[in-house]
Amino acid sequence: MIPGARLVLLGRQGSGKGTQCVRLSRHFVVPHISTGDMLRAAVREGTELGKMAKAIIDAGGLVGDDIMVGLVSERLTEDDARVRGYILDGFPRTVSQAESLDKATASRPLDLAIDLVVPEEVVLERISSRRVCAKCGAIYSVAAPPSTEWVCDKCGGEVQQRADDTPESIAKRLAAYTLETQPTIDFYSASGLLVGVDGLGTPDEIFARLLGAIDAQL
Ligand code: AMP
């Protein structure tokens, strides 16, 4: 039987994290916990969190650490994550979030933090052609659309450009990545938990590299 895993996947917006997290989640039979997906679901459902987060997300800013830490800590107490582990996508994004995650997982620490490395010029190109299902979050692109005119192959939802994939918001998010998330990568490097994986290539090639890196650690 495949063992569970407790993983963090770091990487720039558009590095292919989301796609690879779905695959890793199936492989290790652990929940894929994407804070971006959680926030977008809250926006769709019109919850208090969603109302507060919408303007921040659309402008490419970061939602406050306390809110994000609360959201993730609560999710990690659910049975699936407690029993098998998890793969975190989009969290932690700041050193403060990483420190809080360390505390919240002290009894069962992370196995590995992976930095999926893709140069900025490549992610810019990928984000502008990215399209996502508004209902289930499945990821497509202009070059690889769903089989029927922007109707999601998986759930029949509408496939569209993300509201925050505008040039202004993308620029702001990439700047926030350098400012806030690069130090988070350094934090994991200093604690000996970080491995860098080349994010260029086909999805199959990248997945094989990720599995190699994780298997070497587990
Ligand atoms: P993502 O889908 O990971 O690119 O997240 C979309 C947006 O949600 C980000 O641009 C932020 O506005 C917000 N967000 C997601 N995760 C976090 C986080 N860990 N901390 C702060 N804001 C977040």
Side-chain angles (χ1 to χ4, degrees), residues 35-36 39-40 57 61-63 68 90-91 93 97 162 173:
T35 45
L39 291 172
R40 282 185 288 277
I57 297 173
L62 288 182
V63 175
M68 297 312 302
F91 183 98
R93 252 180 164 91
Q97 292 180 10
R162 262 170 56 167
R173 281 150 59 210

Side-chain angles (χ1 to χ4, degrees), residues 56-61 163-175:
I56 300 175
I57 297 173
D58 287 352
D164 61 343
D165 280 349
T166 60
E168 301 75 31
S169 168
I170 294 169
K172 198 163 167 211
R173 281 150 59 210
L174 287 173

